[in-house]
Amino acid sequence: MDGPIPHEIGNMTSLRFLYLYENALEGFIPSEIGGLTRLAFLSLYENSLEGSIPSEIGNLVELTHLAIRSNSWTGALPAELGNLTAIKYISMSENDLGGSLPTELGQLTALTQLWLRDNNFTEHIPSELGQLESLRELSLHYNNFSGSIPSEIGKLKALTSLRLYVNRLTGRIPTTLRELSGVQLFNLRHNQLTGPLPSEVGEMTALTGLYLYGNSLTGAIPSHLGRLTKLEVLRLEENLFNRTLPTQLAELVLLEQFRITDTFITGNLDPLFCTGDPSLPNPISIFTNNLTTCSCCQS
C-alpha cells in the first residue's frame, strides 16, 4: 500500500483498530484522524510518513496503543498527547522529532512503555515523567537531552528498564534512584555525568545489567555494588574512578562481563576476582589502569 492517508478516514467514526504498518505510505497524517474517537490501536510504523504529529490526535481518548516509529516525523510532540489518559504503549522511536518533551506526558498514568529513542529531543527530561506510576520501560536513548536526571524518576516504582544513554545529561546520578527496586536494566552510558557513583545504587537489587561507561564519574566504586547478586553485566569503563577495587564485587557470582578499563583504579586486584569461570566471554577487563597485579585481566 502506498500514497497518502486519505482525509476521508475521519468518517470511520466507529473504528477501533487501524493497522497500516510496514507499507509505503507517505505524506502527512490528516487532521481528520481526530474524528476517530473510539480508536484503541493506531499502528503506522515503518512507512514514509512525514510532517508533524497533529494536535487532533489528542481527541483519541480511548487510544491504548500508539505505534508510529520508523517514519520521518518532525517537530515537537503536541501537548494534546496528555489527553490520552487510557494509553498504555507509545512508540515514536527512529524519527526526527525534536524540541522539549511536553510536561503533559506526566498525565498518562496508565502508560507502561514509552519509547522515544533515536530522535532529536533536546532540553531537560521533564520531572513530570515521575508521575507515570504504571511505567515499566522508559527509553529516551540516542537523543540530545541535557541537564540533570530528574530525581522524580525515582518515583517510578513499576519500572524495570531505564535507558537514557547517548544523550548530553550532566550532573550527578540522583540518590532517589535507589527506590527503583524492580529495575533490571539501568543504562546511562555515554553522557556527561559527574560526581561519585552513589552507594544507593547497591539497593537496586533486581539489576542484571548496569551500564555507566563513557561518563566522568569520580571517587571510589562503592562496595555496596556487591549487594547486586543478580548482576550479569557491569560496565564502568571510561570514567574517572580511583582508589582500590572493592573486594565485594568478587562475590557477584553471576557476573559474566566486568569492564573498568580507562579509569584510575589502583592497587592489587584481589585474587578472588580470578576464580570465576574462564570460559565466560571477557569475564574481567581492567587494563589501562594503575593496578600492580592482575592475573586474569583481559584487554
Side-chain angles (χ1 to χ4, degrees):
M1 184 185 301
D2 58 12
I5 298 174
H7 293 272
E8 291 78 8
I9 200 168
N11 298 329
M12 304 170 69
T13 54
S14 297
L15 194 65
R16 295 286 291 164
F17 303 93
L18 180 57
Y19 297 111
L20 297 175
Y21 58 88
E22 297 178 358
N23 283 290
L25 296 172
E26 57 188 14
F28 304 92
I29 296 181
S31 60
E32 287 83 357
I33 204 167
L36 306 181
T37 55
R38 297 203 60 218
L39 199 64
F41 280 66
L42 176 58
S43 294
L44 302 175
Y45 62 86
E46 293 189 22
N47 280 285
S48 297
L49 296 165
E50 59 185 349
S52 58
I53 298 171
S55 60
E56 288 82 3
I57 209 164
N59 297 339
L60 310 182
V61 293
E62 295 187 20
L63 200 66
T64 61
H65 287 68
L66 176 61
I68 60 174
R69 65 172 172 82
S70 302
N71 280 282
S72 298
W73 309 116
T74 57
L77 298 183
E80 288 79 4
L81 285 175
N83 298 335
L84 307 180
T85 54
I87 201 155
K88 297 180 179 180
Y89 177 88
I90 293 177
S91 175
M92 299 182 180
S93 300
E94 299 176 9
N95 284 290
D96 200 21
L97 297 164
S100 58
L101 294 185
T103 59
E104 289 81 2
L105 290 179
Q107 300 170 21
L108 308 181
T109 54
L111 191 64
T112 62
Q113 298 185 51
L114 179 59
W115 293 85
L116 299 177
R117 66 176 176 84
D118 286 285
N119 279 288
N120 289 308
F121 292 114
T122 59
E123 302 186 33
H124 292 65
I125 297 173
S127 61
E128 286 80 4
L129 294 188
Q131 300 169 17
L132 304 178
E133 57 190 27
S134 302
L135 198 65
R136 295 199 305 266
E137 297 203 28
L138 178 59
S139 295
L140 304 181
H141 48 295
Y142 288 114
N143 278 286
N144 288 297
F145 289 110
S146 59
S148 58
I149 299 172
S151 61
E152 289 82 2
I153 295 294
K155 298 179 180 179
L156 303 177
K157 301 296 179 62
L159 204 65
T160 61
S161 175
L162 178 63
R163 297 177 174 93
L164 303 181
Y165 57 89
V166 192
N167 279 286
R168 294 186 294 125
L169 298 170
T170 57
R172 300 189 172 206
I173 298 174
T175 59
T176 55
L177 296 186
R178 66 184 173 190
E179 303 295 331
L180 303 178
S181 58
V183 165
Q184 300 171 23
L185 175 63
F186 187 78
N187 197 330
L188 306 181
R189 68 174 175 87
H190 288 127
N191 279 285
Q192 301 167 26
L193 300 170
T194 56
L197 174 57
S199 61
E200 287 83 359
V201 173
E203 299 177 32
M204 301 168 66
T205 53
L207 275 177
T208 60
L210 178 58
Y211 301 81
L212 299 175
Y213 62 95
N215 283 286
S216 296
L217 300 172
T218 57
I221 295 174
S223 61
H224 289 67
L225 294 188
R227 301 175 181 176
L228 304 178
T229 56
K230 297 180 180 179
L231 204 60
E232 299 173 3
V233 178
L234 178 57
R235 299 285 301 271
L236 302 177
E237 70 266 30
E238 299 172 24
N239 276 289
L240 302 176
F241 294 119
N242 53 32
R243 306 180 192 175
T244 58
L245 201 61
T247 59
Q248 289 85 350
L249 297 186
E251 300 172 8
L252 300 177
V253 296
L254 298 181
L255 200 61
E256 297 181 4
Q257 189 179 108
F258 176 33
R259 296 188 182 182
I260 194 165
T261 54
D262 296 301
T263 64
F264 297 91
I265 297 296
T266 60
N268 299 326
L269 187 70
D270 193 291
L272 288 172
F273 283 97
C274 299
T275 59
D277 184 350
S279 67
L280 292 175
N282 298 319
I284 185 164
S285 180
I286 309 187
F287 273 137
T288 323
N289 282 291
N290 297 315
L291 288 166
T292 304
T293 61
C294 176
S295 61
C296 59
C297 295
Q298 297 183 9
S299 57

